Amino acid sequence: METKNVKAYGTEAADAPLKQMNIERREATAKDIEIEILYCGVCHSDLHTARNDWGGTIYPAVPGHEIVGKITKVGSEVTKLKVGDLAAVGCMVDSCRECDSCKHDLEQYCLNGMVGTYNGPDKHLGGHTFGGYSKKVVVDEHFVLKVPSNLDLAAVAPLLCAGITTWSPLRHWKAGKGSKVAVIGLGGLGHMAIKLAKGLGAEVTLFSRTPDKKKDALELGADEVIISTDNNQMNSVKGKFDLIIDTVPYVHDVNPYVSTLNIDGTLVLVGYLGGLEPILNTVPMILGRKSVAGSVIGGIAETQELLDFCGKHNIVSEIEIIKMQDINQAYERMLKSDVHYRFVIDMASL
Ligand code: NAP
Ligand code: ZN
């Protein structure tokens, strides 16, 4: 298969900084779209993968799954978009397209395993996929999204992961007018959850460990901020919420938040992957018919729905644009919860 050499930024090992490297991309086949990447958002999952927090990272690793850019080439059978159009790619670049999940627009739950934009099995070239910290990407048109033209392109990038990951549970659990939604953690996912829940008409509360973020949260649309380390504040919202979206990336005690769910309420974990500590107490769940659930990104149709909704309601991410060479410092700031509220890489700097 024909390939081309593309400039990228990635890492050779869990404890090595990211640096410039070259990768091979396939030449566009009949169903492929080639995109010149203009901006790529920086997700906490990029950091988890670069540093092998979840195990299973294959090196060299090139992260990045909040990709926006301009189409430079399309294959002969592509109908969705054309050369010169804006386009976006999120966390998936392929799936089996045949299983029950794929047939129901739930490619993220593909029963044969979806292909992640990075660190996934590359079905075309063998080896593993490389993400958006690079100049170009080649993706099957099914996994390419249309970008609303009225939005700031750099600020659209985070919708492709932070946006859809919070949009999908908001839609699945039917957040809207009259519902009370809470968000745990004000970072990339958290700030999008506030904006989207508000956009859907819900009443929104932020749980944060960081009192300094209160003013920002209110400006982003939160109706209320609860400092999670303050017991009085936590007690004041007992039994309140229909839906809680928990974006905290590391192990943490979920029990205090379960107490703030209403009867039939659901706490959806989208951040931390792994066993819960301290253990989850079932008493409030059983006595209040409450659920603790999980959710991963969203399907392609649902991602397009989100982008269209954001176009209509003028919703984008709050971003800080960085150069590609600043990525290692950006990761350090992310570890200190010092992100306001998503880093986006200007790919012209690579
Ligand atoms: P982020 O920008 O770093 O934000 C995480 C926020 O969580 C922080 O700003 C902080 O908010 C809070 N936090 C951080 N460490 C904490 C700790 N030890 N205990 C309590 N709170 C803590 O990260 P992100 O990009 O939003 O990603 C969040 C998580 O979602 C990551 O684990 C990422 O891998 C995961 N993720 C999952 C999916 C999915 O499909 N399920 C998709 C994308 C990302 P406060 O300062 O307000 O407390
Ligand atoms: Zn992500």
Side-chain angles (χ1 to χ4, degrees):
M1 177 165 235
E2 267 190 87
T3 63
K4 67 167 61 158
N5 205 259
V6 174
K7 228 195 251 182
Y9 224 79
T11 176
E12 304 276 4
D15 56 359
L18 278 75
K19 60 170 185 148
Q20 196 182 306
M21 53 177 62
N22 286 296
I23 55 170
E24 292 296 315
R25 298 277 193 203
R26 67 179 181 273
E27 286 290 353
T29 66
K31 294 257 186 222
D32 282 333
I33 293 182
E34 181 190 271
I35 300 166
E36 180 195 352
I37 301 175
L38 299 176
Y39 298 100
C40 184
V42 179
C43 179
H44 209 109
S45 303
D46 299 354
L47 186 158
H48 288 310
T49 300
R51 303 198 173 171
N52 201 21
D53 286 349
W54 298 324
T57 300
I58 310 164
Y59 295 95
V62 174
H65 57 202
E66 295 183 338
I67 299 169
V68 290
K70 213 167 218 159
I71 298 181
T72 44
K73 206 180 267 180
V74 296
S76 56
E77 291 171 26
V78 169
T79 55
K80 195 172 183 177
L81 287 151
K82 57 181 192 318
V83 170
D85 287 347
L86 294 176
V89 176
C91 307
M92 298 179 283
V93 290
D94 213 344
S95 70
C96 83
R97 329 258 187 110
E98 284 169 358
C99 72
D100 209 46
S101 296
C102 286
K103 282 191 178 142
H104 290 89
D105 291 323
L106 295 166
E107 301 91 340
Q108 75 275 34
Y109 301 114
C110 173
L111 298 174
N112 296 302
M114 57 103 160
V115 178
T117 302
Y118 53 79
N119 205 48
D122 187 326
K123 290 185 191 169
H124 298 263
L125 298 181
H128 60 287
T129 52
F130 297 115
Y133 297 2
S134 66
K135 283 292 208 188
K136 286 200 166 186
V137 67
V138 178
V139 180
D140 184 291
E141 68 169 334
H142 180 76
F143 291 86
V144 178
L145 287 308
K146 296 179 187 173
V147 176
S149 57
N150 59 317
L151 301 176
D152 173 44
L153 189 63
V156 165
L159 301 179
L160 277 302
C161 177
I164 184 61
T165 300
T166 50
W167 177 254
S168 187
L170 287 168
R171 297 287 284 151
H172 182 76
W173 277 278
K174 302 189 170 43
K177 275 204 173 61
S179 46
K180 293 187 170 67
V181 173
V183 175
I184 312 178
L186 189 61
L189 269 56
H191 94 289
M192 284 315 310
I194 291 176
K195 287 190 176 208
L196 295 172
K198 203 66 203 167
L200 286 166
E203 184 186 321
V204 188
T205 299
L206 171 74
F207 287 111
S208 175
R209 307 166 302 171
T210 314
D212 289 354
K213 291 184 184 172
K214 179 168 180 175
K215 185 169 166 282
D216 287 354
L218 297 173
E219 279 171 18
L220 288 164
D223 297 286
E224 182 187 29
V225 177
I226 299 292
I227 301 306
S228 51
T229 47
D230 181 324
N231 286 337
N232 288 334
Q233 290 192 36
M234 289 299 282
N235 285 333
S236 72
V237 287
K238 272 219 159 99
K240 177 166 178 173
F241 302 110
D242 303 305
L243 178 66
I244 301 177
I245 300 188
D246 182 337
T247 76
V248 174
Y250 300 98
V251 69
H252 59 288
D253 190 358
V254 169
N255 294 299
Y257 300 106
V258 174
S259 321
T260 70
L261 286 172
N262 195 355
I263 312 298
D264 284 334
T266 303
L267 181 147
V268 187
L269 291 154
V270 294
Y272 171 66
L273 283 172
L276 289 173
E277 285 169 39
I279 54 171
L280 185 61
N281 183 356
T282 64
V283 174
M285 294 167 66
I286 289 173
L287 297 185
R289 200 162 62 184
K290 299 175 185 184
S291 309
V292 173
S295 181
V296 77
I297 51 171
I300 293 299
E302 198 174 40
T303 308
Q304 193 61 60
E305 175 195 69
L306 162 71
L307 288 167
D308 297 346
F309 179 88
C310 289
K312 194 164 161 210
H313 296 265
N314 237 322
I315 296 175
V316 286
S317 173
E318 301 301 309
I319 60 166
E320 179 175 338
I321 294 191
I322 60 167
K323 294 198 183 85
M324 189 68 259
Q325 297 75 14
D326 297 334
I327 190 69
N328 294 301
Q329 291 101 293
Y331 280 6
E332 290 314 309
R333 283 183 54 194
M334 197 177 245
L335 284 172
K336 290 189 223 137
S337 300
D338 178 22
V339 186
H340 310 277
Y341 281 90
R342 198 61 147 183
F343 293 117
V344 172
I345 305 159
D346 179 355
M347 222 36 87
S349 61
L350 175 61

